[in-house]
Amino acid sequence: MDLEYQLIIPEFVMAGLAVVIIAAALALRNVDQKWFGYATAIGLAVIAIVTAVAYWDTNDDFGTVLAVDHFTVLFRVFFLGIAFFTVLAAVQFAGDRLKNHAEFYGLIVFATLGMMLLAASRELLTAYLSLELLSFSFYILVGFNKLNPFSNEGSLKYMLLGAFSSALMLYGISLIYGVTGTTTYSAIGPDVVEGTRNIAEQLASFAGGSGGVDPDGARPGLLIGLVLITAGLGFKVSAVPFHQWTPDAYQGAPLPITAFLSAGGKAAAFAFFLRLFSEAFLPAAAEWVWFVAILAAVTMIVGNLMALQQTNFKRLMAYSSISQVGYLLVGIVALDAANISQSQDAASALVLHLIGYVTTNIAVFAAIIAFYNRTGRDDIVDLRGLAERQPFLAFAIAAALFSLAGMPLFAGFATKFIIFQAAFNNGFLWLGAIGVTASFVSLYYYLMVIKQMYLYEPEGSDRERFHVSRPLAGALVVLVAGVLFIGLYPTPLFDVIHSSTEGLFEQAAALSAAVMGQ
């Protein structure tokens, strides 16, 4: 194994940052706790900048289990950005409502480390361990407010169902190993159907209509393994019917962790989803595409219909995030083993929508955190008259909700348009139609929130205008600007994403060329 440790220096530094923050709290007990938050944010920003500059042109792997390429570096920086904005939004919230701040920030850093390793993984057991590091950090963070019974309940449900999903995923990995004899993506790709045929014969049989599957060989084990892995991942991303934990966990978690879970957790899982299905399982796309398509359709429908009934803002965003998972799964459905160029376009569309969604979601939650810091309330009706009390927060929430609904001028419109176009190009017109219809449905419940802010007078005795802390206000300005920029001019970002996803399909392109040469 070629172990070039300089390739994973950012991950070592992240682990060191978490340990230093926690150790500093033990040594500096009289220091204002908010400085641990600001120190964590500065550390994350520095690591992100250095990683982007030092590793962007790297294309190598660490012992065949971790890839360090454009895709990995893009998601490293992306995850660090998510953690940075989460920590900034959490400083005042944690200072007012939580204890053990250093441990809180340290767990956020450890969760981010798990995300980074997951996006870089090229081997199933490495990916599983990375996912568990991420999941265990989230289990603790969701229940971090121990005095809140909703927090304890949400954490317990999340942990119990998470353990079950991990068992499903491990069993799926064991079946894939039994079929292929390997857990490495690069080896699974050629051997995903049969370990004895050569590459050209595998894809030739696939192109000839047999799906590349020996009827009395690998088909049952391969299909069951794929279904179990997808089910495990479906839990992590809150796809229907694996979504039951999501509303309770979102409502019970501290608000910054709700934001982090909805943004970082889904981004990491889809980075894993995309690398796994493009590098390992693309030759067997005909075996899983309809299953994922049905999963996407049901997720979009159920998420939006359930959101219509919500009165609590965090539960509303929980079901909203479930529906967004359906849109993201459309990008997986659009992958096509017979058309590598189209598959790369679909992968780029998925990542673009993921970045647009995460930017928008963090903007919403940052604004709600600022409101909660003032009022201690998170029901939708509590937002009444916010446009009079704090116009900037009302504008930020409205812009983000319009983006989530897919309205023109905002990020959601551009990213949904591109991802639905990828589905249309792969022949899934019905799935794109469901996505467009679901977006119209979502507009209704987002408008109900906006209606509370702009068409009603403030309730209660607290009607005065209030200010938002400068760090949080600055973060909101950047996030809202990002939502508008992606919506109005997504081309530069899409070009960067497209160059990062190219490496995911190198093996598939080689296999396709081998078939063409027969």
Side-chain angles (χ1 to χ4, degrees):
M1 296 178 68
D2 185 15
L3 302 179
E4 299 183 25
Y5 287 97
Q6 70 272 15
L7 295 173
I8 56 173
I9 287 176
E11 284 75 11
F12 283 126
V13 175
M14 286 290 289
L17 175 63
V19 172
V20 167
I21 291 295
I22 296 172
L26 297 175
L28 305 173
R29 295 182 178 274
N30 296 324
V31 174
D32 189 340
Q33 295 285 295
K34 70 179 182 182
W35 293 111
F36 293 121
Y38 291 133
T40 303
I42 292 170
L44 291 168
V46 171
I47 295 171
I49 294 170
V50 173
T51 298
V53 172
Y55 288 93
W56 180 250
D57 292 327
T58 304
N59 187 11
D60 206 342
D61 63 81
F62 179 80
T64 72
V65 297
L66 296 173
V68 182
D69 51 16
H70 285 183
F71 185 82
T72 298
V73 176
L74 174 68
F75 274 97
R76 275 177 174 174
V77 175
F78 185 39
F79 296 145
L80 288 165
I82 294 172
F84 171 79
F85 284 109
T86 300
V87 169
L88 277 187
V91 170
Q92 184 178 344
F93 182 97
D96 294 341
R97 293 174 173 84
L98 299 178
K99 298 180 179 179
N100 306 315
H101 296 186
E103 289 88 341
F104 180 74
Y105 299 123
L107 284 168
I108 290 176
V109 175
F110 276 126
T112 308
L113 172 60
M115 297 175 195
M116 294 166 65
L117 290 170
L118 189 59
S121 296
R122 299 191 69 184
E123 192 267 338
L124 285 170
L125 291 178
T126 304
Y128 173 78
L129 293 174
S130 303
L131 189 60
E132 288 305 288
L133 172 61
L134 169 63
S135 297
F136 274 87
S137 300
F138 273 135
Y139 298 155
I140 301 170
L141 287 168
V142 168
F144 204 84
N145 189 356
K146 293 180 287 187
L147 300 180
N148 183 348
F150 290 107
S151 185
N152 295 327
E153 179 186 354
S155 178
L156 183 61
K157 288 181 178 179
Y158 185 21
M159 182 183 66
L160 292 176
L161 291 174
F164 179 70
S165 73
S166 296
L168 287 179
M169 190 171 174
L170 267 181
Y171 189 40
I173 290 172
S174 70
L175 289 174
I176 296 297
Y177 178 75
V179 170
T180 65
T182 182
T183 56
T184 304
Y185 300 174
S186 59
I188 290 174
D191 295 337
V192 69
V193 179
E194 289 181 277
T196 56
R197 289 191 184 182
N198 62 49
I199 292 173
E201 288 176 337
Q202 287 180 47
L203 287 197
S205 65
F206 172 76
S210 68
V213 179
D214 185 1
D216 58 359
R219 184 184 181 93
L222 173 66
L223 288 179
I224 296 172
L226 279 171
V227 168
L228 291 175
I229 289 176
T230 304
L233 284 174
F235 170 86
K236 303 300 181 183
V237 299
S238 308
V240 175
F242 315 106
H243 67 290
Q244 292 90 342
W245 62 273
T246 311
D248 292 324
Y250 276 43
Q251 185 176 15
L255 255 172
I257 299 308
T258 305
F260 193 43
L261 181 60
S262 68
K266 286 180 174 52
F270 270 99
F272 173 36
F273 225 134
L274 184 56
R275 189 184 284 277
L276 176 64
F277 276 70
S278 60
E279 291 189 355
F281 296 138
L282 189 60
E287 304 297 325
W288 52 259
V289 66
W290 286 102
F291 172 73
V292 178
I294 293 171
L295 196 66
V298 173
T299 301
M300 287 187 285
I301 293 169
V302 173
N304 281 297
L305 292 180
M306 292 299 293
L308 294 172
Q309 309 172 36
Q310 305 308 311
T311 58
N312 178 269
F313 191 84
K314 289 201 284 186
R315 292 184 74 87
L316 173 74
M317 293 304 296
Y319 285 108
S320 169
S321 72
I322 290 170
S323 68
Q324 295 292 331
V325 168
Y327 305 135
L328 289 164
L329 286 172
V330 172
I332 300 294
V333 173
L335 298 177
D336 185 358
N339 191 332
I340 302 303
S341 177
Q342 179 179 302
S343 292
Q344 188 185 351
D345 290 341
S348 301
L350 189 159
V351 176
L352 179 67
H353 183 64
L354 185 62
I355 292 176
Y357 161 69
V358 166
T359 304
T360 302
N361 222 42
I362 295 179
V364 167
F365 276 107
I368 292 298
I369 289 168
F371 174 77
Y372 190 87
N373 288 340
R374 169 74 178 192
T375 65
R377 300 174 180 175
D378 58 11
D379 284 334
I380 295 173
V381 70
D382 296 325
L383 293 170
R384 285 192 169 191
L386 182 61
E388 292 185 17
R389 300 179 61 197
Q390 179 42 263
F392 174 62
L393 286 186
F395 168 75
I397 294 172
L401 293 180
F402 278 134
S403 177
L404 290 174
M407 295 297 288
L409 306 181
F410 301 98
F413 175 79
T415 60
K416 283 183 181 179
F417 178 83
I418 295 172
I419 206 167
F420 290 155
Q421 185 181 46
F424 293 154
N425 292 338
N426 201 26
F428 286 89
L429 299 178
W430 62 273
L431 189 59
I434 290 175
V436 172
T437 304
S439 295
F440 278 112
V441 172
S442 71
L443 182 59
Y444 172 79
Y445 58 79
Y446 292 135
L447 283 174
M448 294 304 293
V449 177
I450 295 171
K451 176 183 176 182
Q452 297 291 334
M453 296 189 297
Y454 283 93
L455 298 184
Y456 291 102
E457 294 290 329
E459 286 189 341
S461 58
D462 189 6
R463 295 169 173 260
E464 296 180 358
R465 289 201 174 194
F466 60 92
H467 298 285
V468 179
S469 67
R470 289 183 179 179
L472 184 51
L476 265 174
V477 169
V478 173
L479 290 167
V480 173
V483 170
L484 294 172
F485 178 79
I486 295 172
L488 295 171
Y489 190 44
T491 303
L493 179 59
F494 186 81
D495 290 341
V496 172
I497 292 170
H498 202 63
S499 67
S500 72
T501 57
E502 185 176 5
L504 299 179
F505 300 94
E506 288 180 353
Q507 178 170 272
L511 296 176
S512 179
V515 171
M516 295 298 292
Q518 295 298 307

